[in-house]
Amino acid sequence: MTDIAIRVALAKGSFHLDVDLTVPASGLTAVFGPSGAGKTTLLRCIAGLESAARGLVRIGAAIWQDASTFVPPHRRAAGLVFQDTRLFAHLSVAANLDYGRRRIPADRPVPGRDDVIDLLGLGALLERRTSGLSGGEAQRVAIGRALLASPDFLLLDEPLAAVDAARKGEILPFVERLHRSAAIPMLLVSHDVEDVARLADRVVLLDAGRVRGQGAPTAMLATSAPDAAWAVTLPASVVPGGRTGTSLRVAARDVAVFLDPPGPSSALAVLPAAVRAVDGAAEGQALLTLDANGVRLLALVRQDVLERHGLGLGSIVHAVIHHATPA
Amino acid sequence: MTDIAIRVALAKGSFHLDVDLTVPASGLTAVFGPSGAGKTTLLRCIAGLESAARGLVRIGAAIWQDASTFVPPHRRAAGLVFQDTRLFAHLSVAANLDYGRRRIPADRPVPGRDDVIDLLGLGALLERRTSGLSGGEAQRVAIGRALLASPDFLLLDEPLAAVDAARKGEILPFVERLHRSAAIPMLLVSHDVEDVARLADRVVLLDAGRVRGQGAPTAMLATSAPDAAWAVTLPASVVPGGRTGTSLRVAARDVAVFLDPPGPSSALAVLPAAVRAVDGAAEGQALLTLDANGVRLLALVRQDVLERHGLGLGSIVHAVIHHATPA
Amino acid sequence: MIETFAAGGWSPLVLTLKLAAVTVVCLLALGTPLAWWLARTRWRGRVAIEAAVALPLVLPPTVIGFYLLILLGPNGAVGRAFALVSDQGLTFSFAGLVIASVVYSLPFVVQPIQNAFESVGRAPLEAAAVLRAGPWDRFVSVAVPLALRGFVTAAVMGFAHTLGEFGVVLMVGGNIPGETRVISIAIYDHVETLDYGYAHAMAAVLVALSFAILVLVYGINRRWARAAP
Amino acid sequence: MIETFAAGGWSPLVLTLKLAAVTVVCLLALGTPLAWWLARTRWRGRVAIEAAVALPLVLPPTVIGFYLLILLGPNGAVGRAFALVSDQGLTFSFAGLVIASVVYSLPFVVQPIQNAFESVGRAPLEAAAVLRAGPWDRFVSVAVPLALRGFVTAAVMGFAHTLGEFGVVLMVGGNIPGETRVISIAIYDHVETLDYGYAHAMAAVLVALSFAILVLVYGINRRWARAAP
Amino acid sequence: SARAVTVTVAVATNFLKPLETLASDFAATSGHDVVVVSGSTGKLYAQITQGAPLDVFLAADTERPAKLIDDGLAIADSRFTYALGRLVLLSRDPSAGADCVAALRASAGKVAIANPETAPYGAAARAALQAMSLSPAVAGRIVQGEDVGQTFAFVDTANAAFGFVALSQVAGEPPGARPGCRWDVPADLHPPIEQQAVLLRRAAGNVAAEAFLAWLRGPEAGALIRAAGYGVPAAP
Ligand SMILES: Nc1ncnc2c1ncn2[C@@H]1O[C@H](COP(=O)(O)OP(=O)(O)OP(=O)(O)O)[C@@H](O)[C@H]1O
Ligand SMILES: Nc1ncnc2c1ncn2[C@@H]1O[C@H](COP(=O)(O)OP(=O)(O)OP(=O)(O)O)[C@@H](O)[C@H]1O
Ligand SMILES: [Mg+2]
Ligand SMILES: [Mg+2]
């Protein structure tokens, strides 16, 4: 069993959480949903902080909770990064970072401290008390503290809400690398569609305490999120000048389709392609799945424009890629 | 004097805030800058919460602080929405919302309670204690509480960091309407470039406690923010089928330039245009300012592609608009 | 026993409750501003004031009573000042008892309130300030309710300690029936004179009454506190 | 005066400090788990326990001493149990004094610690739990340090109250020089016998010493607390 | 009689019980009101020096009334001995046997006396122990009550095996009603335990106070005092 099964029921006042969820025990699962949907509550149930929750929590072969078992939170060590950071006010930043790390059982590898400190830009803060930290600084310390505890399952509750875009741009790839190399499964709560689309291997949609859907980010976000979400990863070689062996991420909104081959332009690449699928998307848009000589592409276009030019399933087009970022 | 002048100096441990800033006393000014730049500290100085701060704080004709004056915070009533919400734990949500509202001086209009409650989706929470609120719910209550106090100057410290995109999409236009109709000047701290680009009348860049620049959002964000920031607002009529009298917002990344007129495509519109300016942007990109028959357009394109096709200042091109949103 | 209570036996209890109630009110009135100041000042000398507040504890009650007797007496500084405004002496009077009890129980009241104010911290007060609440307003509408637990503890401690107080009261008050003869002295007298029956009965009444009051106060506090964490 | 102190005059002071120190240690050892339990249980009956803890306060010390005398004595429940393990009696011994002082000062120790634990709340403990800290570990490494202010208050109150304690100690201790004759009794005796000189001197020493200890403790506490708000 | 006047009597706690009976008798016969205030002799002395509103002081010793006269706070010629304390050796130990002194000598149990420094009964007990050459036998076994009331509590609760208490404390107890032994210490084994009364300066001219003191020296009062377990000095 290499999947994660979570079936929890919990009532909090008038709010009822009733989640039934199975996800692979690897990669990053994004939990997405409106404010008050129960995302934080779900993470708390998984971490073992809601002792009133009933149900099953199984991480691979390890049963954290079922009808007869309730593993206490400190033995789950589900590195939960709280939405409100919860740094220890009586400890320095350094001692906060080391709190979990010093408690890692002897048979587990202890993560390197300096990498995390460098990455999160905490070097200058180590001797500081937590009380004077700015919002973003506190969030970074909280992330670092959780990472350094070497968790079996990382639960991130909007960990980057107060972190600026530039820093986010550094932290996210690290988290990504982390979850790919260490194979720690992760659950990320985020309101930021960009982050979710970029990082997540799959998305779980939560609303009013229930799972409303689950699947690949592209498919799932279509029903709930703005258009920034869909993207594909391509071999860089499809773009003139792209270095072989590397990949590019192309967002669906940055792909347009033309009937005739366009002339010289600011576009990165023009690829002949066939329209393999047309899905509805929000606000009168359509998501085209294209096959460009074996390379899958997504294009987000206006439904009405499509109709006006008689474009549809099976059409042969020229896919124009306007932007791409290294993946 | 209808401007806002802020010149404050304050040392907090090893951090030094030293700001000199003049902005018009109307509209929304976004304060943008990396984590730890001093944004929160600046807002606290303006609100009068840092009694050690030295300098000048003048809002139009009202002097809140100068060499001889220090108006205490409760007389400034600069509706500060704290980054950490700071709801009153001993009061219900309703009592939190009413706290400032009940203290509005008799000669000021008292804002309508129901509008704000509806807009922020707080109706179901009114009787609740603050302790069980989710992160986003708490932030919305904090915003409502500040708005209902009828402030002279609204200071928003990342008020929407934990609010989901859909809700944000409702709250932001309200804040926008509010500041346009009520003419309350606002200062918004946000890490979200999209928000800033969409809402702000001007941007102040803060870094390491100092103002690094100030100006229109498009110009300012170019030096610091990812490419999502640049956008222009167009009359909808430039796009086939666009309703006259309305406007469209077109992001620079959604505009491409073609040397030859392209054929039928998924594009919304193709406009002949002249390249009026070429500015460098981040990551090998260039920002083109286009003149399409009197309509100004921005296009974000790759520098190398531009060069490959010999495009530059004065080139006559076809601007292709792929996406637009109602403004 | 019946006769003993009937024959003025209840008067010490009534007097005691009155003394405890008045003392608690005075203690809160005096202790609250002191605790507030101690919780917020950054003056380095505050530790001396904090230590001074706790000092009445370290001396035996009778000895404190002795010094208070001198201080409040006709030749003492306070007694002389009081003589200017009243022709009644302070010692051996109800007013004197109140003063003595207040001095003696002050630390039990200042400490919990001060700790509670310190736990409240600056954050909610700043939030109130930017919502137009002036210093007094935010003290009343934010600091005090958030420090409620400390106030309850303070009131309970002050009340209980005044009930059981004895050495100080005996010295300053002089055991005058109906005026300064509080229940602790009455019980003491009956223990001393081997009237254990009356002492047991009176102690049982006192304990039962106090228990009821305490359960009530803590119960209400609990209800309030359950909502606000 | 010098001669008085020299003639065994210091022994009550030394004994008192020893008693206060031992009592504070016992109080903290006993009061901490009790306060922790009270702060965290949701059992409705807890208000009764809270009230019971405060009860020793409402009885005059001498009367508590009297009941303790019965309870700890050869015919009392505790005394009998103790007789099984020791052939020394509890009353009139240092051990008896410690027990009596602990009972009498318990409320002053439980209350501030309980309030401090309640102020800490669950949030930091949950944070510690997900960082692999077990219940005891997070109690020691998070709850106690965050409640430090409460512990300082508790220790100060317990210490000061034991110094000044008198009625209980007198009753249970039996005023045996070197064993149970604490300084408060010594001062009291000298007041009783009109030896005001010795009483003043001894009181001054006690006050000065206590003041020094309190300033030290509060000063250190301040230093710690300034950093963590 | 003349208009009813109130007399406030301060009494050493050990004499409080008898005084309550005396006071109500006096009030009944004289028509005056009596208010009784009790406390330890030392405390009452301190209060009188600080202007306590007291008229008559019934001390447990001779020293404090004399000192008040020296201080000018009491009427010099009003001082007299109203009661003589009687010392009793008491035990509640069922194994004590009939001979209390022998049991005391043989026992290893604690011996309670009142504090000899502050309480006359304590001084008397120490003197009696010396007179009987018992001091070495009880060395290390002495526990001190603050006053004779507390000393009695020590013995009565069996915390001390023996104790020197006041006859007045066991006067109402029929012989043999409780286990243990009792031995009335002969008066010549210790200096007399004189309890002296004095009229306080502020009561000069208070007819009730003067009448009370006069009545206290009279035969009716004497009988009551004797019944309470005290001696009464032979009429001068
Ligand atoms: N004691 C309670 N009584 C009633 N409702 C409660 C209680 N505790 C929590 N809730 C509600 O449960 C819902 C779920 O809360 P949760 O914190 O899990 O939301 P969330 O999905 O994390 O939201 P956000 O994105 O805003 O942080 C919220 O609507 C909250 O108000
Ligand atoms: N007492 C102190 N000692 C040293 N540095 C301090 C102290 N108090 C605050 N600072 C520093 O001041 C800087 C500015 O803090 P501020 O909260 O204003 O940042 P910010 O711009 O709001 O950041 P964020 O976006 O993360 O909230 C931070 O780097 C913070 O660590
Ligand atoms: Mg949440
Ligand atoms: Mg900030």
Side-chain angles (χ1 to χ4, degrees):
Chain A
M1 288 182 296
T2 55
D3 58 347
I4 292 174
I6 295 159
R7 279 198 295 279
V8 283
L10 174 68
K12 272 196 152 183
S14 58
F15 174 77
H16 291 268
L17 184 76
D18 194 353
V19 162
D20 187 344
L21 190 65
T22 309
V23 292
S26 66
L28 191 145
T29 305
V31 179
F32 203 79
S35 170
K39 307 179 292 299
T40 297
T41 309
L42 174 63
L43 263 52
R44 290 176 55 84
C45 289
I46 298 172
L49 297 178
E50 296 287 352
S51 53
R54 293 285 157 264
L56 172 79
V57 178
R58 183 174 51 73
I59 312 298
I63 291 181
W64 282 358
Q65 177 171 358
D66 64 13
S68 61
T69 323
F70 189 92
V71 178
H74 62 282
R75 282 199 227 289
R76 304 190 183 189
L80 172 56
V81 178
F82 293 87
Q83 202 167 0
D84 53 355
T85 74
R86 304 203 178 178
L87 300 184
F88 299 124
H90 62 296
L91 298 179
S92 66
V93 167
N96 265 280
L97 289 173
D98 289 336
Y99 189 91
R101 190 163 177 268
R102 282 174 33 205
R103 287 167 171 80
I104 298 174
D107 58 347
R108 290 185 65 98
V110 176
R113 198 166 170 275
D114 295 343
D115 283 357
V116 172
I117 289 173
D118 278 357
L119 167 89
L120 295 166
L122 302 175
L125 304 175
L126 292 179
E127 297 311 314
R128 289 266 300 276
R129 289 271 158 184
T130 59
S131 56
L133 295 181
S134 80
E137 287 165 350
Q139 275 194 333
R140 275 141 54 200
V141 176
I143 297 173
R145 188 175 67 169
L147 291 180
L148 288 173
S150 177
D152 289 329
F153 191 13
L154 196 54
L155 307 172
L156 304 155
D157 198 353
E158 300 197 47
L160 298 169
V163 173
D164 56 292
R167 182 77 70 177
K168 220 166 177 170
E170 296 168 21
I171 296 175
L172 287 183
F174 179 84
V175 172
E176 210 168 3
R177 258 201 329 276
L178 189 81
H179 88 79
R180 298 208 192 281
S181 67
I184 310 170
M186 301 193 187
L187 225 54
L188 170 75
V189 173
S190 175
H191 288 305
D192 192 315
V193 180
E194 287 269 11
D195 292 352
V196 171
R198 177 159 166 195
L199 285 176
D201 295 306
R202 70 202 73 86
V203 173
V204 172
L205 275 181
L206 204 65
D207 193 11
R210 277 180 181 67
V211 173
R212 299 288 176 210
Q214 169 182 7
T218 47
M220 290 313 302
L221 294 177
T223 59
S224 70
D227 54 16
W230 300 281
V232 290
T233 303
L234 305 173
S237 53
V238 301
V239 172
R243 228 170 343 129
T244 34
T246 63
S247 305
L248 288 177
R249 181 176 169 276
V250 177
R253 66 174 288 165
D254 291 330
V255 178
V257 295
F258 288 72
L259 276 184
D260 310 323
S265 71
S266 62
L268 292 183
V270 180
L271 307 173
V275 177
R276 289 276 181 253
V278 181
D279 294 302
E283 296 177 41
Q285 309 240 36
L287 186 68
L288 306 182
T289 306
L290 308 173
D291 177 354
N293 213 354
V295 176
R296 196 179 75 108
L297 275 176
L298 292 174
L300 186 72
V301 300
R302 275 273 284 273
Q303 192 86 44
D304 56 348
V305 177
L306 216 58
E307 282 156 14
R308 196 184 312 148
H309 300 301
L311 286 166
L313 204 65
S315 297
I316 303 298
V317 296
H318 298 267
V320 177
I321 300 173
H322 288 292
H323 297 279
T325 49
Chain B
M1 287 183 294
T2 57
D3 58 347
I4 293 173
I6 295 158
R7 279 199 295 278
V8 283
L10 174 69
K12 272 195 150 183
S14 57
F15 174 77
H16 292 266
L17 183 76
D18 195 352
V19 163
D20 188 346
L21 190 62
T22 310
V23 293
S26 66
L28 191 144
T29 304
V31 179
F32 202 82
S35 170
K39 305 179 295 296
T40 297
T41 309
L42 172 63
L43 263 52
R44 290 175 55 85
C45 289
I46 297 172
L49 297 177
E50 297 286 354
S51 53
R54 292 284 158 264
L56 171 79
V57 178
R58 183 174 51 73
I59 313 298
I63 291 180
W64 283 358
Q65 176 171 359
D66 65 12
S68 61
T69 320
F70 189 91
V71 178
H74 62 284
R75 284 199 224 290
R76 304 190 183 190
L80 173 56
V81 177
F82 292 88
Q83 201 167 0
D84 52 356
T85 75
R86 303 202 180 178
L87 301 183
F88 299 125
H90 62 297
L91 297 179
S92 67
V93 168
N96 265 280
L97 288 172
D98 290 335
Y99 190 92
R101 190 165 177 267
R102 284 174 34 205
R103 288 169 169 79
I104 298 173
D107 58 345
R108 290 185 66 97
V110 175
R113 198 164 170 275
D114 296 342
D115 284 357
V116 171
I117 289 173
D118 278 356
L119 167 90
L120 295 165
L122 302 176
L125 304 176
L126 291 179
E127 298 310 313
R128 290 267 301 277
R129 289 272 157 183
T130 59
S131 56
L133 296 180
S134 80
E137 287 165 351
Q139 276 195 334
R140 276 140 55 200
V141 175
I143 295 172
R145 187 175 68 170
L147 291 179
L148 288 173
S150 178
D152 289 329
F153 192 15
L154 194 56
L155 307 172
L156 304 154
D157 198 353
E158 300 198 46
L160 299 168
V163 173
D164 55 292
R167 181 79 69 179
K168 219 167 178 170
E170 297 167 20
I171 296 175
L172 287 183
F174 179 86
V175 172
E176 210 168 3
R177 264 204 322 278
L178 189 83
H179 87 75
R180 298 212 191 282
S181 68
I184 310 169
M186 301 193 187
L187 224 57
L188 170 75
V189 173
S190 175
H191 286 308
D192 192 315
V193 179
E194 286 270 8
D195 293 351
V196 171
R198 177 159 165 195
L199 286 175
D201 296 306
R202 71 203 71 87
V203 174
V204 172
L205 277 179
L206 205 65
D207 193 11
R210 278 185 178 65
V211 173
R212 297 289 176 212
Q214 169 183 8
T218 45
M220 289 317 298
L221 294 177
T223 58
S224 69
D227 53 15
W230 300 282
V232 290
T233 304
L234 304 174
S237 53
V238 302
V239 173
R243 228 170 344 127
T244 36
T246 62
S247 304
L248 288 176
R249 180 173 170 276
V250 177
R253 64 175 288 164
D254 292 329
V255 178
V257 294
F258 288 71
L259 274 184
D260 310 323
S265 73
S266 62
L268 292 185
V270 179
L271 306 174
V275 178
R276 289 276 181 255
V278 180
D279 294 302
E283 297 178 40
Q285 310 240 35
L287 185 68
L288 306 184
T289 306
L290 308 173
D291 178 353
N293 213 355
V295 174
R296 198 179 75 108
L297 276 175
L298 292 173
L300 186 72
V301 300
R302 277 271 285 273
Q303 193 85 44
D304 55 350
V305 176
L306 217 59
E307 283 157 11
R308 197 183 314 146
H309 299 302
L311 286 167
L313 204 63
S315 296
I316 302 300
V317 295
H318 297 266
V320 176
I321 300 174
H322 290 292
H323 298 277
T325 48
Chain C
M1 215 177 87
I2 300 296
E3 316 87 87
T4 324
F5 282 149
W10 288 111
S11 117
L13 183 60
V14 173
L15 182 69
T16 302
L17 292 178
K18 188 176 140 201
L19 175 66
V22 173
T23 301
V24 165
V25 170
C26 293
L27 279 170
L28 292 180
L30 215 78
T32 305
L34 184 55
W36 178 246
W37 178 78
L38 284 173
R40 295 182 57 94
T41 183
R42 280 153 186 268
W43 180 50
R44 309 188 97 244
R46 58 171 270 179
V47 293
I49 309 286
E50 284 183 284
V53 168
L55 271 192
L57 282 181
V58 306
L59 286 177
T62 323
V63 175
I64 302 216
F66 177 68
Y67 288 121
L68 279 175
L69 191 65
I70 295 173
L71 200 70
L72 303 181
N75 304 323
V78 178
R80 257 188 248 198
F82 191 76
L84 299 178
V85 298
S86 162
D87 50 359
Q88 267 237 309
L90 268 181
T91 45
F92 316 116
S93 71
F94 187 75
L97 280 198
V98 171
I99 295 180
S101 304
V102 165
V103 168
Y104 190 47
S105 295
L106 197 60
F108 302 124
V109 169
V110 171
Q111 289 273 7
I113 303 182
Q114 181 187 341
N115 281 0
F117 279 145
E118 282 173 1
S119 288
V120 168
R122 294 180 171 267
L125 295 166
E126 289 182 351
V130 298
L131 290 166
R132 302 179 178 281
W136 174 248
D137 185 357
R138 53 189 189 252
F139 174 76
V140 171
S141 66
V142 175
V144 170
L146 284 175
L148 196 69
R149 197 156 45 206
F151 280 92
V152 170
T153 299
V156 163
M157 291 281 139
F159 187 83
H161 201 238
T162 304
L163 286 192
E165 188 181 65
F166 167 70
V168 176
V169 160
L170 193 60
M171 202 70 172
V172 174
N175 196 6
I176 300 169
E179 181 148 11
T180 61
R181 177 171 221 227
V182 295
I183 194 162
S184 55
I185 300 181
I187 299 178
Y188 174 76
D189 278 353
H190 287 86
V191 168
E192 279 288 298
T193 56
L194 317 182
D195 187 356
Y196 293 158
Y198 178 96
H200 290 333
M202 218 48 177
V205 169
L206 188 59
V207 165
L209 188 78
S210 310
F211 189 77
I213 295 176
L214 293 179
V215 165
L216 197 79
V217 170
Y218 283 131
I220 293 172
N221 185 36
R222 202 56 23 216
R223 244 165 227 287
W224 273 65
R226 190 150 344 120
Chain D
M1 214 178 85
I2 299 297
E3 317 87 84
T4 323
F5 284 151
W10 287 112
S11 123
L13 183 61
V14 172
L15 182 68
T16 302
L17 292 178
K18 188 176 142 202
L19 174 67
V22 173
T23 302
V24 166
V25 170
C26 294
L27 279 169
L28 291 180
L30 215 76
T32 305
L34 184 56
W36 178 246
W37 179 76
L38 285 173
R40 295 182 59 94
T41 183
R42 280 151 186 270
W43 181 50
R44 308 188 94 241
R46 58 170 269 184
V47 292
I49 310 286
E50 283 184 284
V53 169
L55 271 190
L57 281 182
V58 305
L59 287 176
T62 324
V63 175
I64 303 215
F66 178 68
Y67 289 120
L68 280 174
L69 198 61
I70 295 175
L71 199 70
L72 303 181
N75 303 323
V78 178
R80 257 188 247 198
F82 191 76
L84 299 177
V85 298
S86 162
D87 52 357
Q88 267 238 309
L90 269 180
T91 47
F92 313 127
S93 72
F94 187 76
L97 280 197
V98 171
I99 295 179
S101 305
V102 164
V103 169
Y104 191 49
S105 294
L106 196 61
F108 302 125
V109 168
V110 171
Q111 289 275 7
I113 302 182
Q114 182 186 341
N115 282 0
F117 279 145
E118 282 173 1
S119 289
V120 168
R122 294 180 169 266
L125 294 168
E126 289 182 350
V130 299
L131 290 167
R132 303 179 178 279
W136 172 250
D137 185 356
R138 52 190 189 254
F139 174 77
V140 172
S141 66
V142 175
V144 170
L146 284 175
L148 197 68
R149 196 158 44 204
F151 279 92
V152 170
T153 299
V156 164
M157 291 282 138
F159 188 84
H161 201 236
T162 303
L163 287 192
E165 187 180 62
F166 166 69
V168 175
V169 160
L170 201 56
M171 204 68 172
V172 173
N175 197 4
I176 302 170
E179 180 148 11
T180 62
R181 177 172 226 229
V182 295
I183 194 160
S184 54
I185 300 182
I187 299 179
Y188 174 77
D189 282 352
H190 286 85
V191 168
E192 279 290 300
T193 54
L194 314 183
D195 185 359
Y196 292 157
Y198 179 95
H200 290 333
M202 218 47 172
V205 169
L206 189 58
V207 164
L209 189 76
S210 311
F211 189 79
I213 294 175
L214 293 178
V215 165
L216 198 76
V217 170
Y218 283 131
I220 293 172
N221 186 34
R222 206 52 24 213
R223 243 167 228 286
W224 275 65
R226 190 152 344 121
Chain E
S1 69
R3 222 164 49 81
V5 178
T6 300
V7 54
T8 304
V9 180
V11 61
T13 310
N14 75 313
F15 200 69
L16 176 60
K17 270 300 245 328
L19 181 69
E20 280 171 351
T21 320
L22 287 165
S24 60
D25 273 26
F26 170 71
T29 53
S30 69
H32 293 301
D33 294 329
V34 184
V35 173
V36 175
V37 171
S38 62
S40 80
T41 301
K43 222 171 280 168
L44 290 170
Y45 168 80
Q47 288 170 342
I48 290 164
T49 62
Q50 296 303 317
L54 303 171
D55 300 322
V56 169
F57 182 28
L58 303 189
D61 65 359
T62 57
E63 184 189 350
R64 258 59 74 102
K67 200 135 192 321
L68 283 174
I69 291 170
D70 288 352
D71 295 342
L73 291 169
I75 311 293
D77 55 6
S78 67
R79 182 161 73 110
F80 70 100
T81 301
Y82 64 92
L84 288 165
R86 302 282 311 281
L87 198 63
V88 168
L89 174 61
L90 181 71
S91 174
R92 297 294 196 203
D93 186 352
S95 64
D99 187 348
C100 234
V101 178
L104 169 65
R105 200 186 299 273
S107 159
K110 294 269 194 254
V111 180
I113 63 172
N115 187 341
E117 312 298 334
T118 59
Y121 281 95
R126 185 163 62 184
L129 283 170
Q130 251 152 22
M132 294 187 288
S133 313
L134 278 170
S135 297
V138 300
R141 298 202 271 140
I142 295 287
V143 295
Q144 293 179 7
E146 199 42 48
D147 50 34
V148 74
Q150 209 171 77
T151 310
F152 183 82
F154 289 167
V155 187
D156 196 51
T157 58
N159 277 287
F162 298 87
F164 286 90
V165 300
L167 176 64
S168 58
Q169 293 171 314
V170 292
E173 196 177 284
R178 302 277 302 270
C181 64
R182 166 182 152 183
W183 178 61
D184 295 2
V185 180
D188 56 4
L189 286 184
H190 60 79
I193 307 168
E194 284 182 284
Q195 305 207 174
Q196 290 199 325
V198 73
L199 180 67
L200 297 176
R201 169 73 66 201
R202 81 185 275 283
N206 179 328
V207 286
E210 282 162 3
F212 176 74
L213 282 180
W215 184 81
L216 190 63
R217 309 174 88 139
E220 268 173 82
L224 285 170
I225 294 172
R226 255 191 296 272
Y230 292 91
V232 174

